[in-house]
Amino acid sequence: MADDCARHAGRLLPHLSTEQTAYDMDAIRAALGEPRASYLGVSYGSYLGAAYTALFPHRVGRMVLDSVVGPGNWYDFDVLQSRALLRQRDTFFAWAAGRHGLGGTPAEVCASYLRVRAGPAARPVAGFGPAEFDRAVYRALGRTERCTPLADGLRGYLTGGGVETLRPAGAFDSPESRNYEAANRIVKCADGPPPGRRDVVTDLRRTRHLDPRPVLTGMEASVCAFWHHRPAHRTPLGSPQAPPVLLVASAHDPVTPVEGARSLQRLLPGSRLVVLDGDHSHGVFASRGNACVDDAVAAYPVDGAVPTAEVRCPVPGLPRPE
């Protein structure tokens, strides 16, 4: 993939970083005649917002960063995410035990899961093989409301439904999907120094030691070990000169673990954190239907009200997938 990107987009690669996009954001602000940029960024959008605060701290308006990536190296983030996904998959196994016909215990659900995965691995059908299965699981583990469709799909496959029971809406091999996958890796590799090739192999082995069949589809930055354009520096993130920034996180988000928000908070000293306790999903504000979160967050862009301390919002009922 690195060779392909160098061949087809080599001259553009140095200009496709988050830092360059932050400059574009400021050009939009200037074109609109706004003295400051108010902004809501979710997931990668939080990383982009953090880059904007580093470059233009005095032009930051009311900024909300939800499901925060964190300020570390992209490859280190990917490794952290891969471990969090293993924990989330265990949570799924525990939740599915005794329902959906997958087994009465987490171990039995895990065995059912592995039987399903072995099917596409042995006999890929219509472009759906083990990699596509892992990507479907990766997608499902990021939102608790997708747990039921995943469990139903696993049961459907085991009862003769075929791979179509496992395929989520939207083809993995669509032009849009391919463009997104390529752009994701290009930007990550443009944002900072790559990992060493030995580091990638070592981390894969460590993750496989935790589980021989881990969910690794989020480790896009591993391709950066083979990248042709080496960034001169890391994309700067955060600034003590920026006004207060509101950070939002789910306590058990496997895609952007809450540690990222706490790390970025140290680079934005005036920032405040809103945490949805007991939740396992990626994307919180105006997404989880939690009035505590939504009211606390909306008060900042609407009224400029910054919480005086960290806000912790409960989830009614047990902290488990729906």
Side-chain angles (χ1 to χ4, degrees):
M1 182 174 185
D3 292 343
D4 188 59
C5 285
R7 184 165 55 251
H8 294 288
R11 66 183 182 83
L12 298 176
L13 296 182
H15 307 288
L16 297 176
S17 68
T18 300
E19 184 175 8
Q20 292 298 317
T21 306
Y23 282 108
D24 293 341
M25 281 179 59
D26 198 59
I28 294 172
R29 175 205 59 78
L32 293 173
E34 295 288 341
R36 290 181 174 83
S38 292
Y39 175 79
L40 168 64
V42 183
S43 194
Y44 169 73
S46 69
Y47 192 90
L48 178 56
Y52 189 87
T53 66
L55 293 173
F56 308 104
H58 301 298
R59 297 176 188 167
V60 174
R62 298 172 185 176
M63 182 174 286
V64 175
L65 305 181
D66 184 358
S67 300
V68 178
V69 169
N73 178 287
W74 270 118
Y75 176 74
D76 293 339
F77 166 78
D78 287 353
V79 173
L80 177 68
Q81 184 191 84
S82 72
R83 310 288 164 80
L85 285 166
L86 289 179
R87 295 191 295 271
Q88 183 77 340
R89 192 174 59 179
D90 287 341
T91 298
F92 169 76
F93 292 156
W95 166 81
R99 64 180 82 183
H100 297 277
L102 296 174
T105 67
E108 291 173 346
V109 175
C110 178
S112 295
Y113 169 90
L114 294 177
R115 284 200 304 274
V116 175
R117 190 185 188 280
R123 293 179 299 278
V125 177
F128 193 94
E132 288 72 26
F133 175 79
D134 284 350
R135 291 171 72 185
V137 172
Y138 175 88
R139 178 182 180 275
L141 293 180
R143 298 280 294 188
T144 55
E145 61 267 25
R146 296 173 185 163
C147 288
T148 294
L150 174 61
D152 289 342
L154 295 173
R155 180 187 59 194
Y157 184 87
L158 288 171
T159 55
V163 296
E164 291 307 317
T165 68
L166 303 169
R167 193 192 301 268
F172 290 132
D173 60 351
S174 67
E176 294 81 6
S177 178
R178 290 196 300 271
N179 185 65
Y180 168 79
E181 295 289 347
N184 195 335
R185 287 156 177 78
I186 287 172
V187 171
K188 283 188 172 185
C189 294
D191 276 346
R197 299 182 188 186
R198 290 184 178 180
D199 294 333
V200 174
V201 174
T202 298
D203 287 326
L204 289 175
R205 286 175 175 167
R206 286 174 177 166
T207 303
R208 290 190 183 280
H209 180 73
L210 296 174
D211 190 292
R213 294 181 179 87
V215 181
L216 294 171
T217 56
M219 292 188 65
E220 295 94 352
S222 58
V223 76
C224 305
F226 305 91
W227 209 241
H228 295 265
H229 173 76
R230 306 295 183 182
H233 66 281
R234 286 182 55 187
T235 293
L237 300 172
S239 170
Q241 298 174 309
V245 172
L246 200 57
L247 309 175
V248 190
S250 169
H252 305 289
D253 179 356
V255 181
T256 53
V258 68
E259 294 94 326
R262 298 197 182 282
S263 295
L264 183 60
Q265 189 175 22
R266 290 191 284 270
L267 300 181
L268 293 164
S271 62
R272 294 288 183 267
L273 180 60
V274 178
V275 179
L276 183 55
D277 276 329
D279 187 70
H280 292 252
S281 285
H282 182 61
V284 185
F285 171 60
S287 176
R288 303 305 298 151
N290 187 279
C292 170
V293 168
D294 292 349
D295 291 347
V297 175
Y300 185 40
V302 174
D303 301 319
V306 182
T308 57
E310 180 172 314
V311 177
R312 302 196 70 93
C313 294
V315 173
L318 296 176
R320 62 183 183 186
E322 300 164 359

